[in-house]
Amino acid sequence: MLTSIATVSVSGSLDTKLAAISAAGFWGVEIFENDLLTYTGSTAEVAALMRSLGLKCTAFQPFRDFEGMPPELRARTFDRMERKFDVMQELGTDVLLVCSNVSTAASGDRSRIVADFQELGERAARRNLRIGFEALAWGRHINDHRDAWEVVRAANHPAIGIILDSFHSFARHVPVESLRAIDPRKIVLVQLADAPALTMDELSWSRHFRTMPGQGDFPLVDYVQALHDIGYRGAYSLEIFNDRFRAASATTVALDGKRSLTYLDDQLRRRCGEALLPARGACRGVEFLEIAANEAEAPQIGHMLSTLGFAEVGRHKRKSVARWSQGGVNIVVNSEIEGFAHSHNVVHGASVCAIGLTVDAVERTLARAAALQIPSFSQPVAPGEFEIPALRGVGGSLLYLIESGRGAEIWQQEFVRSADPPAVDGGLTAVDSISQVMHYEEMYSWLLLYIALFDLRKTPMIEYADPLGLVQAQAVESPDMGVRIMLSTSAASQTLSSRFLSAYEGAGVQHGALATADIFASAAEMRRRGVELLAIPRNYYDDLEARFGLDPAVIERMMHANILYDRDTDGECFQFFSRAFAKRFFFEIVQRRNYAGYAPGNLPIRLAAQARFKSAPASRVP
Ligand code: MG
């Protein structure tokens, strides 16, 4: 797949954009006119820069309000066009993107429009240039690629072709199958953009919410497959207008763009019976969570874990690392004074510094990660020590990859079992899900990383209210639900998510949900052990009774234990929350009964309960 990206998709000055685009490995770049107009260097210097970076200029764009202009404006439009031709020749591109006219002055007379393109074709051909006509979803008379294609076909000029943009096609619900009617030799360029399914006007949707392929809800694999099937082999160019990406670093966005196209290309090829990359890694579960703590924090975390029913079952043979365990849940508390966990602790304080994921075919997954330009991590290990392969994850944390079925081996080889671990049990069985909070502009980046690398699917994005602002969340889940990771973010500065980011010095794991088969028994045992729980107001329970018609005795028990409840058409879930450690992370205990969701109705309740501790002393507040 020939990959290209429009400069409008990434942030910064034009030279910064081009450097990031080249470094990410793109073949070509579309120069967005505004980026050129605001750049201090000359057009010739931009052309030289693109050449030196090995980038082909795939198009100059956009030329607006061209076709169907009344006679008094038409001549001026063509004059304007000739000037753009000069710029294109200096830039070293032969393609100009002409988007459909939005002017109220424009005529919809098809024969006039076709005649305009015929004259334009003559002028472009004289200078060895080509025109690609793109239907904007909000074009005044042409707003559907089928109409743009009819105009191109009728103009029947070798210098006039069509530019397709998946956003415009999907925003107007134009059937993908209609692409098959287009002559592939007439397709000058294909622009790709995904977007979340939203109900709003197309212009605002396009200007603010476009995403990289895979990050939104459009069936882009179907789109590129239709084009592949008719024989299109030209460039695919990302044209992504998104407020988040404008706030993110050019390097990150360019790399995400390239990663999204690599992932798309792989999906396309797999449909054609081949593959570009090794298959996505199948995630089976969470083998451990690792908490980095200094010498003072480690005993406090140990205390918190013991109130949740964990026992310290072993210590690392050579390191200051303790393994706390309960059912299938392992929590590693690392208080080494050097190495990765220590560095993480210095920057972030006591916090989850790594997640150990159980994955089928680790080597293959690492090869896929390398092809997707996902950085790996390693640090020196002592002779005989087990080196677990790791990738860089959210907020500089690590994602360890543990081969399915080999978890026990690591514990046996690396840890000395405690001679007589205390017999405690809070009834926890496994890690149910992990919640990671991240900056607003980086959420799509991590979403893409998870779904492109692993066999995880994304759930629809949800929005919910924190007392101090709106929070957005989206989960990725393995098909058997063995791994669920909830990503959340907030653009508002005082929400719990945002305060977490400032308390934590960046993104990371905010909470781990741990599964129990008996929420009431777990709550009773943990309470007996002195756990500190998040208190839920009585009003919540009054409402619960009204909403679900539960037995008042059950509601009384839930209220007594601060247990929250939700039900959907398939099942029900119960949950309660521990108070947070040093504003950084907390645990949720959850019992699912045939319930797959995340109890969205309870999120504002939990956040409001946590917000009440906002100004309490740091060691005791969420
Ligand atoms: Mg476009």
Side-chain angles (χ1 to χ4, degrees):
M1 181 182 277
L2 293 175
T3 59
S4 166
I5 184 168
T7 53
V8 70
S9 312
V10 292
S11 60
S13 61
L14 187 52
D15 51 347
T16 306
K17 291 171 188 243
L18 292 174
I21 289 165
S22 167
F26 281 93
W27 173 77
V29 61
E30 287 179 70
I31 297 291
F32 190 67
E33 186 173 32
N34 253 22
D35 286 320
L36 188 64
L37 299 181
T38 54
Y39 186 58
T40 49
S42 69
T43 306
E45 283 167 351
V46 173
L49 182 57
M50 284 190 285
R51 275 197 305 276
S52 72
L53 290 168
L55 287 170
K56 178 179 171 55
C57 185
T58 46
F60 180 55
Q61 67 125 317
F63 189 91
R64 301 182 201 275
D65 297 337
F66 164 72
E67 78 281 11
M69 281 307 208
E72 64 275 18
L73 296 175
R74 191 171 185 273
R76 203 193 308 159
T77 305
F78 276 104
D79 285 349
R80 194 158 60 88
M81 185 70 81
E82 293 287 348
R83 282 231 193 91
K84 301 305 170 198
F85 286 173
D86 298 339
V87 177
M88 289 167 66
Q89 290 184 313
E90 267 200 274
L91 270 181
T93 182
D94 65 340
V95 173
L96 178 69
L97 182 157
V98 173
C99 53
S100 57
N101 204 326
V102 299
S103 166
T104 50
S107 158
D109 178 344
R110 195 56 65 93
S111 59
R112 273 285 323 281
I113 291 173
V114 169
D116 286 346
F117 275 103
Q118 283 169 334
E119 179 172 344
L120 181 54
E122 284 301 301
R123 287 174 180 243
R126 280 201 287 273
R127 298 173 68 160
N128 284 326
L129 301 175
R130 292 182 295 153
I131 304 297
F133 183 39
E134 177 192 19
L136 298 178
W138 52 90
R140 186 154 181 84
H141 301 289
I142 309 279
N143 48 37
D144 179 320
H145 69 238
R146 291 170 295 194
D147 289 333
W149 169 235
E150 282 311 311
V151 168
V152 167
R153 207 160 63 118
N156 192 26
H157 193 286
I160 301 294
I162 187 170
I163 288 182
L164 295 160
D165 181 323
S166 61
F167 178 87
H168 298 302
S169 305
F170 286 120
R172 293 195 67 91
H173 306 285
V174 181
V176 167
E177 289 307 301
S178 64
L179 296 171
R180 297 179 189 272
I182 300 172
D183 178 349
R185 293 165 301 180
K186 286 284 188 183
I187 303 176
V188 174
L189 184 67
V190 176
Q191 295 180 318
L192 291 178
D194 204 340
L198 299 170
T199 306
M200 64 191 304
D201 75 279
E202 287 116 0
L203 180 59
S204 304
W205 190 11
S206 174
R207 291 270 163 88
H208 303 287
F209 297 99
R210 287 183 178 220
T211 66
M212 305 296 180
Q215 295 172 332
D217 297 320
F218 292 156
L220 279 173
V221 189
D222 295 348
Y223 200 86
V224 293
Q225 186 181 359
L227 293 167
H228 182 85
D229 288 351
I230 62 169
Y232 176 72
R233 296 293 182 271
Y236 287 95
S237 192
L238 299 171
E239 189 188 35
I240 317 291
F241 306 90
N242 189 300
D243 301 338
R244 298 185 201 223
F245 299 163
R246 287 186 194 111
S249 86
T251 307
T252 304
V253 174
L255 196 55
D256 280 345
K258 188 67 170 66
R259 186 172 292 155
S260 75
L261 288 177
T262 305
Y263 177 36
L264 184 69
D265 194 7
D266 185 49
Q267 291 173 88
L268 172 65
R269 292 201 201 196
R270 282 172 184 278
R271 283 195 181 179
C272 303
E274 46 179 320
L276 179 66
L277 309 177
R280 293 196 298 167
C283 297
R284 298 300 174 195
V286 177
E287 182 65 30
F288 64 85
L289 294 175
E290 181 172 348
I291 297 176
N294 63 28
E295 281 187 358
E297 294 157 341
Q300 295 169 25
I301 289 169
H303 172 73
M304 178 181 67
L305 293 174
S306 70
T307 65
L308 291 165
F310 283 87
E312 187 183 320
V313 297
R315 293 197 75 84
H316 196 276
K317 286 178 179 167
R318 290 168 296 275
K319 296 179 181 173
S320 180
V321 177
R323 175 193 176 195
W324 292 76
S325 193
Q326 177 176 185
V329 187
N330 292 295
I331 294 179
V332 171
V333 180
N334 187 327
S335 48
E336 281 279 284
I337 53 168
E338 59 183 12
F340 168 76
H342 173 69
S343 310
H344 196 274
N345 181 262
V346 168
V347 177
H348 302 292
S351 52
V352 177
C353 64
I355 299 169
L357 282 182
T358 310
V359 176
D360 288 354
V362 166
E363 281 305 317
R364 193 190 70 201
T365 307
L366 291 168
R368 185 175 174 96
L372 289 165
Q373 304 189 64
I374 296 170
S376 61
F377 170 87
S378 65
Q379 64 183 350
V381 290
E385 198 176 343
F386 212 94
E387 187 179 9
I388 310 175
L391 301 169
R392 284 286 184 181
V394 171
S397 66
L398 298 182
L399 265 181
Y400 284 111
L401 305 184
I402 296 130
E403 192 73 43
S404 295
R406 294 193 61 192
E409 235 175 276
I410 296 169
W411 303 120
Q412 277 164 18
Q413 281 197 18
E414 299 289 301
F415 286 76
V416 179
R417 240 191 125 67
S418 303
D420 189 18
V424 294
D425 190 358
L428 303 183
T429 56
V431 174
D432 174 90
S433 61
I434 295 167
S435 165
Q436 295 185 307
V437 171
M438 53 207 63
H439 290 291
Y440 189 66
E441 61 273 14
E442 60 181 343
M443 182 147 149
Y444 276 127
S445 181
W446 293 112
L447 180 75
L448 178 66
L449 182 143
Y450 282 124
I451 61 172
L453 179 59
F454 297 116
D455 182 14
L456 297 172
R457 64 179 174 225
K458 61 182 192 286
T459 62
M461 188 173 287
I462 57 166
E463 289 189 337
Y464 53 93
D466 176 285
L468 297 169
L470 207 62
V471 179
Q472 290 186 328
Q474 189 159 21
V476 292
E477 305 171 333
S478 61
D480 66 359
M481 299 290 187
V483 171
R484 307 170 199 242
I485 301 173
M486 175 65 87
L487 314 179
S488 64
T489 189
S490 174
S493 65
Q494 288 302 308
T495 54
L496 183 72
S497 297
S498 298
R499 284 184 284 127
F500 168 86
L501 292 175
S502 53
Y504 188 93
E505 299 294 331
V509 171
Q510 186 188 32
H511 91 264
L514 309 175
T516 175
D518 186 341
I519 193 102
F520 291 103
S522 289
E525 173 61 17
M526 291 176 193
R527 208 164 51 245
R528 200 181 64 73
R529 301 187 60 80
V531 73
E532 290 190 83
L533 296 186
L534 191 66
I536 304 301
R538 181 179 182 95
N539 292 348
Y540 171 79
Y541 295 96
D542 292 343
D543 178 60
L544 212 54
E545 194 168 351
R547 267 199 296 158
F548 296 113
L550 292 171
D551 180 348
V554 174
I555 291 194
E556 191 65 30
R557 286 181 76 196
M558 285 198 279
M559 186 166 69
H560 181 61
N562 292 298
I563 291 171
L564 297 146
Y565 177 81
D566 192 37
R567 185 195 288 165
D568 62 14
T569 48
D570 299 318
E572 59 183 355
C573 94
F574 301 83
Q575 50 185 173
F576 64 84
F577 298 90
S578 77
R579 294 273 292 277
F581 184 86
K583 290 190 183 181
R584 296 199 185 96
F585 61 92
F586 58 94
F587 289 101
E588 169 187 348
I589 312 301
V590 60
Q591 181 182 2
R592 297 175 183 272
R593 288 180 182 159
N594 202 32
Y595 179 96
Y598 298 87
N602 290 337
L603 289 168
I605 307 296
R606 190 254 291 170
L607 288 165
Q610 291 175 317
R612 280 193 283 280
F613 298 100
K614 187 179 169 216
S615 54
S619 63
R620 294 290 178 141
V621 295

